[in-house]
Amino acid sequence: MPSSDGSAGLLATRIAFFVAGFGLAAWAPLVPLAKERLAADDRMLGLLLLCLGAGSVVAMLLTSVSNARYGSKPIILAGGLGLALILPLLTIANTTIGLGTVLFAFGASAGSIDVAMNIHAIEVERATGRPVMSGFHARYSIGEFAGSAAMTAFLSLRLDPFASTLVCSALMMLAIVSAWPRLLATGRTQRGPWFFSPHRSVLLVAALAAVTFLVEGAMLDWSALLLVGRGLLAEAHGGLGFMLFSIAMIVGRLGGDAAVARFGDRALLMFGTLPIVTGFVAVVAAPVAVIAMMGFLLIGLGISNIVPILCRSASKQKMMPVGLAIAVVTAAGYAGILVGPASIGVIAHMVGLPVAFGMLGALMCIATLSAWMVMADYR
């Protein structure tokens, strides 16, 4: 594939990653409204959110088969349009079954575009002949920030939730349709088996992805409670820790491709261990808020490029189809997000939230220090 084709697909792929992050994050500010509309308790809300995750995981596994037959380009378009079209329905579904069904479809759209755009990113990286995966994931993080901020701003201005989602959906549709012609016509394979038993090396990559997403999910759900519970910040400012973590993730990913080109994937994973260790120690033991905030920044920087590197690693293995390998890794990541925060809650109830965060840090360090195992099969 000529490098000029790869260069032409760079912007389109960045837009696809941005749209995926934007659409999924636009749902977050709508969660309290949905809970109030349905008069759902926490248990019911948890089950409803599980529908979103279930839809994502199912779609991820099916997308690997669809990608082999049709290529990633049409799946990216379908997934992006699906997110845009379903988002407004999340504000008007007024029954538990109705919202659960819509969330499953919304999750399926998110899961399908997630796998397809990562496969497409690998093709673009091969076409350009240089690392670009971290930059793509940075656009996803920027999209998450923009989607959540846009929806929050519209609701703060007292714009009707349905009208707010229509505005966001229109922007998403415009973006994904404009990107579609520039997406690469990736190669397709002939009909083959619908199922491959995942190779041990791919399972290891998937396990590391699950740990990484588990930590990210815990940061989202528990960081404010940790800071407020330790008396470091007032409740109104509890979200500052996750905000700094997210900003550091974006900055780290924007510079990740240059770092990979200079040091290599394996070295970058290993180097990430030091800021992660330092950051978790600061967060757990900080006597003042400033030190804890620096800890969140360090954790975000250290963890920022792990998922892009793991996706690239899955694409290099030769033991199973690349599409299915990417699907296994991303599905494991979503499983980490689904299971992780709840597990942290159980552990925190038993030994306290600071100890639970310390265990997260140890688990994350085990993941980064396993870099030599991850890369061993891809040399």
Side-chain angles (χ1 to χ4, degrees):
M1 191 182 300
S3 61
S4 59
D5 290 344
S7 299
L10 276 171
L11 177 60
T13 311
R14 288 168 181 158
I15 292 175
F17 272 80
F18 181 89
V19 168
F22 186 98
L24 194 58
W27 154 244
L30 299 174
V31 174
L33 300 178
K35 181 181 180 181
E36 180 181 357
R37 187 171 68 250
L38 272 62
D41 56 19
D42 290 341
R43 176 177 174 274
M44 182 56 66
L45 181 62
L47 292 174
L48 287 171
L49 295 177
L50 191 61
C51 292
L52 190 153
S56 298
V57 172
V58 170
M60 285 174 178
L61 298 178
L62 293 178
T63 297
S64 63
V65 178
S66 301
N67 185 86
R69 285 159 173 73
Y70 308 111
S72 58
K73 184 175 180 178
I75 301 174
I76 291 174
L77 178 65
L81 291 177
L83 286 174
L85 293 173
I86 297 171
L87 180 62
L89 301 180
L90 295 171
T91 66
I92 59 176
N94 54 13
T95 66
T96 301
I97 295 178
L99 182 58
T101 302
V102 175
L103 280 171
F104 185 91
F106 190 70
S109 296
S112 60
I113 191 174
D114 200 321
V115 172
M117 70 188 186
N118 274 290
I119 296 173
H120 190 272
I122 291 167
E123 296 289 342
V124 173
E125 194 169 65
R126 290 172 178 169
T128 57
R130 57 189 175 88
V132 292
M133 184 67 77
S134 292
F136 290 146
H137 281 260
R139 269 63 182 190
Y140 184 89
S141 298
I142 294 171
E144 284 186 311
F145 183 84
S148 179
M151 187 61 67
T152 300
F154 289 145
L155 295 176
S156 298
L157 294 172
R158 300 189 181 279
L159 189 64
D160 180 76
F162 182 71
S164 300
T165 56
L166 287 179
V167 174
C168 291
S169 293
L171 294 174
M172 292 164 61
M173 292 179 69
L174 179 63
I176 202 69
V177 169
S178 65
W180 183 71
R182 287 178 168 269
L183 293 171
L184 303 184
T186 54
R188 309 168 191 175
T189 60
Q190 299 298 319
R191 290 183 178 273
W194 281 69
F195 177 79
F196 282 81
S197 178
H199 190 269
R200 63 176 179 83
S201 60
V202 175
L203 289 176
L204 176 59
V205 172
L208 298 182
V211 170
T212 305
F213 277 102
L214 186 157
V215 173
E216 291 186 28
M219 287 291 175
L220 173 62
D221 292 335
W222 293 101
S223 59
L225 292 174
L226 176 69
L227 292 169
V228 174
R230 295 191 59 225
L232 297 176
L233 292 176
E235 288 186 0
H237 303 140
L240 285 176
F242 182 73
M243 184 187 74
L244 292 175
F245 171 81
S246 301
I247 292 173
M249 286 267 290
I250 293 173
V251 172
R253 285 176 170 177
L254 287 173
D257 294 325
V260 168
R262 182 170 184 177
F263 302 109
D265 287 338
R266 192 180 183 204
L268 197 59
L269 279 175
M270 299 291 286
F271 292 156
T273 306
L274 182 58
I276 290 172
V277 171
T278 306
F280 270 104
V281 170
V283 167
V284 172
V288 294
V290 174
I291 296 178
M293 296 300 102
M294 292 298 296
F296 281 109
L297 283 171
L298 289 173
I299 296 171
L301 285 173
I303 205 174
S304 59
N305 290 295
I306 294 178
V307 172
I309 290 173
L310 293 177
C311 288
R312 186 184 297 113
S313 299
S315 73
K316 292 179 179 179
Q317 53 80 36
K318 307 296 182 184
M319 287 70 71
M320 61 187 298
V322 171
L324 185 56
I326 294 295
V328 169
V329 171
T330 51
Y334 269 67
I337 290 178
L338 291 173
V339 177
S343 301
I344 295 301
V346 174
I347 297 173
H349 179 73
M350 297 171 59
V351 296
L353 194 53
V355 176
F357 261 71
M359 295 173 65
L360 276 180
L363 189 62
M364 195 67 246
C365 291
I366 292 173
T368 55
L369 291 174
S370 299
W372 65 273
M373 297 176 64
V374 174
M375 302 300 171
D377 291 307
Y378 310 139
R379 294 174 185 169

